[in-house]
Amino acid sequence: MPSEPAGGKAGAKGAGQARSAAASREPLRQSDLTRALSDLRDRLDTFEFVLEVPGVEEAREARLELRNQLEDYALPRIQAAGVPMLVVLGGSTGAGKSTLVNTLVGSRVSATGVLRPTTSSPILVCHPDHAEWFLKGPMLPGMGRVRGPAPDAIAGDQLVIISSDVLPPGLALLDSPDFDSVFEDHYEFATKLMAAADLWLCVTTAARYADAQVWQMLQRARDNGASIGVVLSRVPQGAGAEVVDHFGEMLAEQGVGDARRFTIPETRVEDSRLPEETIEDIRAWLVGVAEDATDREIVVGDTLGGVLDSFRTRIPELAKHVEAQVEQRAELAQLVESAYGTALAELDEATRNGSLLRGEVLARWQDFAGTGDLLRALHVRRGRLSLTRRSSRRHRAPSRVRSLKAALRSGLESLILSTAEHAAEQVLAGWRGHPAGGQVLAGPAATLGTASPELSRRVTRAVSSWQDHVQELIRTEGVTKRSVAKLVSFDSEALSLVLMIGLLGYGTSDVAVEGGTSAVPQRLLKALFGAESLRGMGAKARADLRSRIGMLFDEEAIRFGQALDAAGIPDETVPVQLYQATYNLEVAR
């Protein structure tokens, strides 16, 4: 019995285990890759390029191409690895794509003729074993299907599926509309089908190979990761070598010099087909690759890998375009923040400098302070403490106290409302002057130039609550904490009004108040509460007022944020999600 080579059994066993492990990992990798690509597709569906900023048209086209390539090619190809290699023939008008397809198939399956364009619907020819898959499978899900043979021209985006046993099971040919057609939808079909190709075969002529659109499509195919072949047809006798050499130089200059190249001489066309000898090398190449499983997998794998590689740059580039939209949105949002921030600062100053102490408020204060109601609000204790407190609780505020409180409330409400109105006007003016603002204001945001209808009600509630808060400060943190409480009883509502008048700037050095100077709130409050306690209560009361007004303004500003959302402008989370989806794809690979 011959001896076993050293490590033979162990090596065979190890190789078998490795193959088994690799086979078990493959479904998991496919699942992870499918999930990552599906997530990337979903992320592309979450936003639109709304604003007309520089480069936006290119960005919209790039997003559509990425979306189509994910949906039409990458996901179906990963999920159906055993289907035939799809060769898409694309080219300029009259280049002879349909004639080449007819010749390769051996019968007239695609329309030809002098009228241009002749191919108005894409024609897909495959082996009968795969016709059902192409009719019902996931490839190009956005296109309709119709079983061939079909008339010369079919309107709309119908994919005509024709069976032919001339083609091997591993090969499918797709004759796409001309990419330089006068019909815009033909160009869209051509680019969509190119992105779904395992191999894109560009067909052009010796007379038109230098056209700009030919090279634009070649560059697009290269950037999108496609495997590329090129056919130069109708090469004239005599000067053909010079044309072919120049075409090769241009391919190299454009970065597609490694594409497989073929030439077809100027020749006769009979029954919409070329002489067989003119396309022998093209047939041998396509059939050879299709029939050899290893070669076919290499081409398909190279294209799929190239497509996935292209996402490394194409997605971040798209994210940068999104960031340009986000930046415009941020500038519009900053105008809102600035307007309401300025309004809050102005209102804060207006509630300090005594500007509110005019007219009705001043008259009510003088009436209250000058008629003895202020002094009656203080009661010197002369005996029974409990009785004094009970009578204080039963005491009803004099009409002058109520009038002063109402005047203060009305004055604050009017100031807040007018400031909010001005802020809304400032936002609207800022948006009108911004390059992106016009698009936002074309919608419902055009009505946001005034304060919201419900603001008046909210302001009334906020100011009333603030006045109650100040009164509670007087009751809980005022004279009850000092020894003077043993001697003096007080009316917390009246003293809260004194504190409010002082907070609003009465008697400050930079405010000239007409009359009423004999009763300065600060002096009275300091005498009752002490300087330290007064500073603490004043700070709390002012902070509470500012907080309430700030919340009102925040609610007003939210309307503008909602207008930005309604306009569909992407926010800062969108590019982050695109970058994350790209990273997740790399991990899945």
Side-chain angles (χ1 to χ4, degrees):
M1 182 175 180
S3 61
E4 189 77 32
K9 288 185 178 179
K13 183 178 180 181
Q17 290 174 340
R19 285 193 296 271
S20 177
S24 65
R25 286 195 301 269
E26 187 61 29
L28 180 61
R29 174 183 173 275
Q30 179 178 323
S31 175
D32 290 343
L33 196 54
T34 299
R35 189 180 303 110
L37 289 170
S38 298
D39 178 63
L40 178 56
R41 176 199 58 197
D42 294 343
R43 296 301 180 192
L44 293 172
D45 287 339
T46 60
F47 67 92
E48 296 288 344
F49 289 103
V50 176
L51 301 177
E52 299 297 331
V53 299
V56 69
E57 287 300 329
E58 293 83 352
R60 288 168 180 157
E61 188 173 349
R63 173 183 173 274
L64 181 60
E65 284 186 7
L66 282 164
R67 178 66 174 74
N68 287 344
Q69 198 162 29
L70 283 163
E71 186 77 8
D72 297 341
Y73 176 72
L75 283 166
R77 176 49 73 190
I78 290 171
Q79 296 166 359
V83 299
M85 177 179 69
L86 180 61
V87 179
V88 176
L89 285 82
S92 52
T93 302
K97 297 182 288 81
S98 300
T99 303
L100 178 57
V101 170
N102 292 336
T103 308
L104 289 169
V105 175
S107 62
R108 186 176 183 272
V109 293
S110 189
T112 62
V114 295
L115 295 178
R116 306 297 178 198
T118 51
T119 304
S120 62
S121 286
I123 309 294
L124 188 149
V125 188
C126 64
H127 190 274
D129 290 349
H130 296 289
E132 285 301 313
W133 187 89
F134 281 110
L135 279 166
K136 301 177 181 178
M139 194 75 72
L140 296 165
M143 300 188 72
R145 305 288 200 277
V146 59
R147 191 184 297 273
D152 285 351
I154 298 176
D157 56 346
Q158 298 291 308
L159 184 61
V160 181
I161 310 297
I162 298 176
S163 300
S164 173
D165 54 12
V166 173
L167 295 183
L171 177 64
L173 301 177
L174 199 162
D175 182 12
S176 68
D178 304 330
F179 55 62
D180 60 351
S181 169
V182 294
F183 300 109
E184 185 177 349
D185 56 349
H186 286 191
Y187 170 78
E188 293 174 357
F189 291 160
T191 56
K192 182 181 179 73
L193 296 171
M194 178 181 69
D198 292 312
L199 172 63
W200 190 63
L201 195 59
C202 177
V203 184
T204 187
T205 67
R208 299 194 60 183
Y209 70 86
D211 288 358
Q213 200 154 17
V214 173
W215 299 101
Q216 289 172 2
M217 293 296 284
L218 280 167
Q219 290 169 355
R220 184 192 296 264
R222 178 200 63 195
D223 294 343
N224 287 4
S227 295
I228 302 173
V230 291
V231 177
L232 184 65
S233 68
R234 299 182 182 175
V235 178
Q237 300 292 335
E242 182 179 342
V243 172
V244 171
D245 290 344
H246 183 238
F247 184 49
E249 292 172 3
M250 293 187 69
L251 288 170
E253 290 173 1
Q254 297 296 327
V256 286
D258 57 348
R260 187 68 180 265
R261 283 178 280 168
F262 304 93
T263 59
I264 298 176
E266 185 74 59
T267 185
R268 70 186 186 282
V269 176
E270 294 182 0
D271 194 23
S272 302
R273 293 158 58 187
L274 296 165
E276 179 63 28
E277 63 271 14
T278 61
I279 57 99
E280 282 181 347
D281 52 350
I282 301 175
R283 181 190 298 280
W285 178 56
L286 293 177
V287 173
V289 171
E291 290 183 336
D292 188 303
T294 301
D295 289 348
R296 187 172 69 248
E297 288 177 7
I298 289 174
V299 171
V300 171
D302 285 350
T303 299
L304 180 59
V307 169
L308 299 183
D309 287 345
S310 75
F311 291 163
R312 294 172 180 166
T313 55
R314 293 163 67 193
I315 299 296
E317 286 173 0
L318 189 71
K320 290 179 181 177
H321 284 289
V322 178
E323 287 170 347
Q325 302 264 321
V326 172
E327 183 178 351
Q328 296 287 300
R329 176 183 176 128
E331 290 177 4
L332 293 173
Q334 179 57 39
L335 290 172
V336 179
E337 183 179 347
S338 176
Y340 282 97
T342 300
L344 185 59
E346 290 174 350
L347 201 145
D348 193 44
E349 175 61 22
T351 56
R352 291 176 183 271
N353 62 18
S355 60
L356 267 176
L357 305 180
R358 302 287 188 271
E360 181 72 10
V361 176
L362 179 59
R364 295 301 177 188
W365 165 251
Q366 291 174 332
D367 190 30
F368 171 66
T371 58
D373 279 354
L374 176 57
L375 294 178
R376 281 192 292 273
L378 306 174
H379 303 284
V380 178
R381 300 175 187 266
R382 298 186 182 275
R384 293 181 300 174
L385 177 62
S386 59
L387 178 60
T388 305
R389 287 184 174 174
R390 284 196 300 270
S391 63
S392 176
R393 284 196 295 268
R394 289 195 300 267
H395 171 69
R396 185 173 182 270
S399 61
R400 293 187 180 90
V401 172
R402 297 195 301 273
S403 297
L404 176 58
K405 188 174 184 178
L408 276 172
R409 183 172 61 246
S410 177
L412 267 175
E413 290 174 5
S414 297
L415 178 61
I416 295 170
L417 286 170
S418 64
T419 306
E421 288 280 353
H422 180 66
E425 292 169 1
Q426 289 298 105
V427 173
L428 211 62
W431 280 15
R432 287 195 181 106
H434 191 279
Q439 288 182 251
V440 180
L441 293 175
T447 63
L448 298 179
T450 60
S452 61
E454 63 273 15
L455 180 61
S456 178
R457 175 180 52 81
R458 294 203 303 263
V459 168
T460 297
R461 187 169 61 244
V463 174
S464 295
S465 298
W466 177 70
Q467 288 183 324
D468 293 342
H469 175 74
V470 175
Q471 184 173 342
E472 184 65 14
L473 282 176
I474 291 290
R475 190 182 67 80
T476 59
E477 300 189 23
V479 296
T480 56
K481 292 189 174 182
R482 288 173 47 79
S483 60
V484 72
K486 298 177 181 179
L487 303 174
V488 178
S489 177
F490 63 94
D491 185 319
S492 60
E493 185 176 20
L495 286 187
S496 70
L497 293 176
V498 177
L499 179 57
M500 293 176 204
I501 291 292
L503 289 174
L504 296 174
Y506 187 95
T508 55
S509 59
D510 57 340
V511 178
V513 180
E514 299 176 2
T517 57
S518 60
V520 179
Q522 283 84 350
R523 294 175 185 172
L524 175 60
L525 294 169
K526 283 181 182 179
L528 289 175
F529 304 146
E532 184 177 352
S533 179
L534 178 60
R535 280 195 299 270
M537 284 192 299
K540 290 180 180 179
R542 184 169 295 284
D544 186 75
L545 177 61
R546 196 177 196 282
S547 174
R548 293 178 191 274
I549 297 172
M551 285 190 289
L552 291 172
F553 284 1
D554 286 345
E555 291 172 349
E556 287 295 286
I558 286 174
R559 301 180 303 148
F560 293 94
Q562 292 170 338
L564 294 176
D565 290 337
I569 309 172
D571 61 26
E572 65 277 1
T573 65
V574 174
V576 173
Q577 291 171 347
L578 288 176
Y579 289 127
Q580 184 63 49
T582 307
Y583 172 78
N584 293 342
L585 177 58
E586 288 301 304
V587 172
R589 293 182 66 185

